[in-house]
Amino acid sequence: MIGRLTGNLIERNPPQIVIDCGGVGYEVDVPMSTFYNLPQVGAKVSLLTHFIVREDAQILYGFASAEERAAFRQLIKIAGVGPRTALGILSGLSVGELVQAIALQEPGRLVKIPGIGKKTAERLLLELKGKLGDAVGTAGAAAQPASDAQADILQALLALGYNDKEGAAALKALPKDVGVSEGIKMALKALAK
């Protein structure tokens, strides 16, 4: 219903802000990633929003980018993950980091977020696998392997001490149908040059 708000920022009380749009002050809950990038009080601001109507409340959630809003919408579709938990996840991880954690099936990244236990993290990874990358577009696409074999190869390279950028570059040079063990050997040879 309300897809975007543009107006003057009149209050900043994390995680909530108030935007004055033509004399009406809208309370908007935002993830900390958006909050830290807001201008000073009194400045003009424009946020994409997601409007939730419940029996006891009507709540606006605001996002600096379309990728953040798409990730939020995918997160709240999961049973047991409400808007507050979704905001917490987006406050603890960037969208690219979340896409990468899902692609590599790394629950350890999610468990570091307050309120996310091991079982919830594993359920998030399982239910979001293959969904979040499409929803948010190209965010984190360089780190998202094309197949399970490539995910295993990337995981091996990361375990050996290579960073995400080096691992992604090595994956690009590999044939799409390469096996895990052969792919690791080829990637190590490419990285050794």
Side-chain angles (χ1 to χ4, degrees):
M1 179 178 185
I2 300 172
R4 176 187 294 269
L5 285 178
T6 301
N8 293 324
L9 182 64
I10 57 174
E11 274 185 48
R12 290 173 54 128
N13 296 314
Q16 192 173 76
I17 63 171
V18 178
I19 300 175
D20 180 349
C21 300
V24 178
Y26 290 93
E27 292 179 348
V28 183
D29 289 1
V30 297
M32 296 311 291
S33 53
T34 295
F35 186 84
Y36 292 134
N37 291 314
L38 289 172
Q40 294 180 7
V41 171
K44 190 169 185 116
V45 67
S46 183
L47 294 177
L48 296 171
T49 60
H50 183 84
F51 186 52
I52 294 181
V53 177
R54 296 190 326 223
E55 192 174 301
D56 60 339
Q58 296 181 22
I59 307 168
L60 266 174
Y61 295 93
F63 307 94
S65 69
E67 289 82 14
E68 268 189 332
R69 182 171 68 176
F72 176 83
R73 287 176 171 170
Q74 285 295 322
L75 286 166
I76 62 174
K77 287 180 184 177
I78 296 170
V81 176
R84 290 275 173 223
T85 304
L87 275 189
I89 292 169
L90 292 175
S91 293
L93 293 173
S94 71
V95 175
E97 290 169 335
L98 181 59
V99 169
Q100 186 174 25
I102 293 163
L104 300 175
Q105 293 293 294
E106 293 180 335
R109 287 189 185 187
L110 295 173
V111 172
K112 293 177 184 174
I113 299 167
I116 304 292
K118 186 177 180 188
K119 287 185 179 183
T120 303
E122 289 171 351
R123 191 173 75 245
L124 283 168
L125 293 177
L126 179 66
E127 293 197 33
L128 289 173
K129 189 172 185 175
K131 293 180 184 175
L132 199 56
D134 297 336
V136 299
T138 58
Q144 189 167 6
S147 67
D148 288 339
Q150 287 193 339
D152 291 342
I153 295 166
L154 182 58
Q155 186 65 39
L157 294 174
L158 295 174
L160 290 170
Y162 292 99
N163 65 32
D164 296 331
K165 188 176 179 181
E166 293 167 328
L171 280 182
K172 285 182 183 177
L174 298 177
K176 295 291 180 200
D177 60 345
V178 71
V180 176
S181 61
E182 187 63 29
I184 293 171
K185 290 176 191 172
M186 292 171 70
L188 288 173
K189 284 181 185 175
L191 289 167
K193 292 180 182 177

